[in-house]
Amino acid sequence: MTSELPEIRASDAERERAAEALRTAVAEGRLDMEEFGERLEAAYKARTHAELVPLVRDLPEAPASASPSPRKAEAGARATSRGAVAVFGGFARRGPWTVGRTFTAFTLWGGGRIDLREAQFEDRETVIRCFALFGGMGVLVPPDLDVEVRGFALFGGFGDKATGPGAPGAPKVRVTGLALWGGVGVKRRS
């Protein structure tokens, strides 16, 4: 019955990860230029995961999902969001999304949630600037992300318990900003 289900469509990020795996393979001499060109063209034309899998299956460190680990940042990925604002309300960035190299979040008498557990990154180093005025903000990071928290709080709090190294090769995220009569909490969660 599962074979009757429609194929899962590939995203731009998944096609780009497969293309990066191919670029690495040709640089290491695992593919010749002709085969690289054919596979690269097929990767960018792929519509489903099933079309991506055979392009990288015979390459080292290529998981069955047809791409390197999603935690590896790829320079040049297009940001889907560079900021968020909540005034007397709230915002949430969660699920699969691409964080800009600088992401600015602002809350005034409101709240916000930035969830990086399924996020991709525009660059190897990302700065998330959080400004919470009379409100609050939460940032969720996965255990394998390299995190540095350097915020300032005045009559509020700026939690830095998530600060610490991540897995080798993981992107680095710096969380900075200001909490004034409010709070910013940064937590690790799977």
Side-chain angles (χ1 to χ4, degrees):
M1 179 146 188
T2 56
S3 63
E4 295 173 15
L5 294 175
E7 287 291 330
I8 296 174
R9 298 193 58 98
S11 69
D12 287 341
E14 290 164 331
R15 281 187 282 277
E16 190 56 42
R17 284 193 301 271
E20 184 61 29
L22 294 170
R23 286 186 202 100
T24 299
V26 74
E28 293 174 344
R30 296 178 192 280
L31 297 175
D32 62 34
M33 287 306 291
E34 183 179 342
E35 186 176 11
F36 166 71
E38 291 168 2
R39 288 188 188 199
L40 187 63
E41 183 178 352
Y44 283 119
K45 288 181 178 179
R47 297 175 74 194
T48 65
H49 284 241
E51 294 171 355
L52 286 174
V53 170
L55 300 175
V56 295
R57 181 181 301 148
D58 61 344
L59 301 176
E61 299 180 33
S65 66
S67 61
S69 167
R71 289 278 121 230
K72 292 184 179 176
E74 296 176 21
R78 285 188 220 146
T80 57
S81 186
R82 295 186 186 280
V85 175
V87 178
F88 294 102
F91 72 80
R93 294 291 184 274
R94 63 178 173 250
W97 63 296
T98 304
V99 186
R101 66 182 46 90
T102 300
F103 182 89
T104 304
F106 176 81
T107 60
L108 175 64
W109 295 96
R113 181 176 176 156
I114 303 167
D115 189 340
L116 302 176
R117 294 175 296 174
E118 295 182 52
Q120 297 293 316
F121 299 89
E122 183 179 34
D123 206 345
R124 301 267 330 135
E125 293 197 18
T126 300
V127 176
I128 297 179
R129 302 181 317 165
C130 299
F131 300 96
L133 309 176
F134 301 98
M137 201 175 309
V139 181
L140 294 175
V141 298
D144 61 344
L145 201 61
D146 187 0
V147 179
E148 179 183 338
V149 180
R150 289 187 173 193
F152 177 76
L154 184 61
F155 302 111
F158 211 107
D160 66 349
K161 291 182 180 176
T163 294
K172 180 170 185 87
V173 174
R174 286 187 181 89
V175 182
T176 66
L178 169 70
L180 177 64
W181 293 92
V184 175
V186 184
K187 297 179 181 176
R188 288 189 186 267
R189 190 174 298 161
S190 297

